[in-house]
Amino acid sequence: MIPRLVIAAPSSGAGKTTVAVGLMAALRRAGHTVAGFKVGPDYIDPGFHAVATGRPGRNLDPMLSGEERVAPLFAHGCAGADIAVVEGVMGLYDGALGTEGYSSTAHVSKLLQAPVVLVVDASAAGRSVGAVVQGFVAYDTGVRIVGVILNKVGSDRHEAEVRAGVAPTGIPVLGVLRRDTRLTVPSRHLGLIPADEQREQASTAVDAAAELVRQGVDLEAFIAAARAAAPLDVTAWDPAAEVTPAEEGRPVIAIAGGPVFSFRYAETAELLTAAGADVVSFDPLHESLPEATSALYLGGGFPELHAEALSANVALREQVAAEVAAGLPVVAECAGLLYLCRELDGHQLTGVLPAKGQMTSRLTLGYRTAIAASTTSFFDEGRRVRGHEFHRTTVEFDEGVPAAWYLPGGQQEGFARSQIHASYLHLHWTATPDVPARFVAAARVHAGLEK
């Protein structure tokens, strides 16, 4: 029984992230231990959640993890917390294209039996906000909207007019937030700049959001609404129950981190640890591979903005190339794929893959169903998975290289050979726990712990 609320909105841009982060931080400052979550595959918002809560930010994504795992993953992420705040994605009822709202914020709220607070941008409306609220309440009565937070309100007179419009709906106004320029966080081609890249600015923005919420939101009413959530009959997801570690010896799996490789799910390291590995993070901008590294995981991020600095760490580039040539198992997703190329925008990188990457103006975004093109240490040929792409770069491979995936329509994607699997696709490994188990097994072989 964890008090919980979902922060939703009629559309993107209404201020969900500001409100959710501000609530998480304000609740923490009030003495609560807060678990923060984000609906969907987003990597950037959970970074701000982590700054606000002091705990890992986590994703809830029925499309990638499977809807049956959403509540167990939520319960796992709530361990030790006394309240949970779930930030939604897009508009409340917006899900995967071509579905009836699958993976939407509304879908996740139902899976969690969690009440919803609707954040409405009132900057360009008055009494009409009431019609918006009434429409969202009536659209799906299986979604329980228990409050409204009015955002970007201009004045006391404006606030009175909006409140008058909302009053007939019967939905209480839990807070009113004024415009605040301190909340502006720098953005770039894929959205906000991750918190890992601008820690001081991120902390300043989180502090400003917390103060805005403290002044404008009735925290006691918010907590009361969260406590009114129905009991959730669920067994928490447990990474130790997904894998069986070997009895002796723990190989070291290096995970790229730092400001460049900040996109990865919290459960990735948890699964690798449970499968019997010692997971060690390192920063490819400045550091070498950790001592006794027996496998390498390169996640997502923004290598295109740090290509020159990555290239300047010549020792690591040469070390990675030599270790992979000697059989080091490596899984690379998106940014990791680019780092393994010969070059990125003319800057020399590791050269593990016969390919070059470059920045483009075209955004590639969306869920993908993929089929493994060959058998490797991590996937068997024909294995079907769901992944997500989110990038503005492209990779050009030399002719005849072995692909990682077949995508719909026969398109080939990525690179796979024996102990190397590199692709633009991000996977949520909770849906494929055999993959981290096989990753650790390959690391054990490379470390000489198994034949």
Side-chain angles (χ1 to χ4, degrees), residues 3-11 14-24 27 37 39 83-93 105-106 108-110 112-121 129 132-134 136-137 140 142-151 166 169 171-177 213 216-229:
R4 58 197 181 277
L5 280 172
V6 172
I7 307 303
S11 66
K16 289 190 302 293
T17 299
T18 295
V19 173
V21 168
L23 282 165
M24 292 175 194
L27 289 166
F37 299 88
V39 175
I83 192 168
V85 177
V86 181
E87 180 188 345
V89 62
M90 299 186 294
L92 174 57
Y93 298 109
T105 303
V108 170
S109 75
K110 291 179 182 179
L112 301 180
Q113 300 178 48
V116 173
V117 171
L118 196 67
V119 177
V120 181
D121 179 352
V129 170
V132 173
V133 173
Q134 183 62 51
F136 272 78
V137 170
D140 184 348
V143 175
R144 190 159 68 96
I145 298 176
V146 297
V148 176
I149 293 177
L150 305 174
N151 193 27
V166 174
T169 70
I171 302 299
V173 175
L174 300 182
V176 178
L177 307 182
V213 165
V217 175
D218 185 343
L219 275 184
E220 291 304 314
F222 181 87
I223 293 167
R227 287 174 176 164

Side-chain angles (χ1 to χ4, degrees), residues 58-428:
R58 295 178 184 270
N59 297 75
L60 300 171
D61 190 337
M63 186 65 75
L64 294 187
S65 69
E67 93 178 334
E68 72 280 3
R69 293 182 187 86
V70 169
L73 285 168
F74 171 78
H76 169 71
C78 285
D82 59 67
I83 192 168
V85 177
V86 181
E87 180 188 345
V89 62
M90 299 186 294
L92 174 57
Y93 298 109
D94 299 325
L97 295 177
T99 70
E100 295 183 0
Y102 195 92
S103 278
S104 66
T105 303
H107 183 196
V108 170
S109 75
K110 291 179 182 179
L111 294 174
L112 301 180
Q113 300 178 48
V116 173
V117 171
L118 196 67
V119 177
V120 181
D121 179 352
S123 61
R127 287 177 179 262
S128 296
V129 170
V132 173
V133 173
Q134 183 62 51
F136 272 78
V137 170
Y139 187 82
D140 184 348
T141 56
V143 175
R144 190 159 68 96
I145 298 176
V146 297
V148 176
I149 293 177
L150 305 174
N151 193 27
K152 301 180 184 178
V153 173
S155 65
D156 290 346
R157 185 177 180 181
H158 183 203
E159 177 183 336
E161 193 72 6
V162 177
R163 281 183 178 273
V166 174
T169 70
I171 302 299
V173 175
L174 300 182
V176 178
L177 307 182
R178 301 298 172 90
R179 300 182 183 95
D180 193 327
T181 57
R182 294 175 301 164
L183 299 173
T184 302
V185 177
S187 61
R188 62 162 68 111
H189 57 278
L190 292 181
L192 297 179
I193 297 178
D196 281 349
E197 289 191 48
Q198 37 138 15
R199 291 184 179 275
E200 186 174 340
Q201 288 173 297
S203 295
T204 299
V206 168
D207 288 342
E211 181 60 19
L212 190 70
V213 165
R214 187 190 68 78
Q215 294 178 2
V217 175
D218 185 343
L219 275 184
E220 291 304 314
F222 181 87
I223 293 167
R227 287 174 176 164
L232 188 61
D233 184 12
V234 63
T235 300
W237 178 82
D238 180 3
E242 302 287 346
V243 293
T244 303
E247 294 182 0
E248 296 182 0
R250 297 181 67 86
V252 172
I253 293 185
I255 289 187
V260 179
F261 295 92
S262 59
F263 294 7
R264 61 181 180 274
Y265 297 114
E267 293 82 5
T268 297
E270 293 172 348
L271 279 165
L272 292 171
T273 300
D278 287 333
V279 175
V280 181
S281 181
F282 74 106
D283 184 351
L285 283 178
H286 312 291
E287 299 174 344
S288 298
L289 289 176
E291 186 177 353
T293 292
S294 299
L296 174 62
Y297 173 77
L298 298 163
F302 286 107
E304 60 269 29
L305 297 176
H306 301 272
E308 183 176 359
L310 287 170
S311 182
N313 190 348
V314 178
L316 177 62
R317 290 196 288 109
E318 293 179 347
Q319 184 184 22
V320 169
E323 291 289 342
V324 175
L328 183 75
V330 56
V331 171
E333 297 179 328
C334 201
L337 166 70
L338 293 165
Y339 185 67
L340 294 182
C341 290
R342 282 192 299 257
E343 64 177 65
L344 174 57
D345 289 335
H347 297 287
Q348 187 175 358
L349 293 180
T350 63
V352 169
L353 303 183
K356 63 179 181 179
Q358 62 181 12
M359 184 70 178
T360 73
S361 60
R362 179 170 177 255
L363 175 63
T364 300
L365 169 68
Y367 292 111
R368 304 284 184 264
T369 297
I371 297 173
S374 61
T375 295
T376 65
S377 297
F378 318 108
F379 298 95
D380 292 328
E381 183 178 358
R383 175 71 178 273
R384 184 181 296 267
V385 300
R386 274 181 175 168
H388 186 264
E389 282 190 86
F390 186 40
H391 56 89
R392 286 190 185 272
T393 58
T394 185
V395 170
E396 181 182 337
F397 286 96
D398 293 352
E399 295 235 355
V401 301
W405 304 111
Y406 291 123
L407 300 179
Q411 178 185 352
Q412 297 185 23
E413 198 276 326
F415 177 97
R417 176 183 292 160
S418 184
Q419 87 284 8
I420 304 174
H421 199 279
S423 163
Y424 267 122
L425 291 190
H426 290 280
L427 306 184
H428 204 290

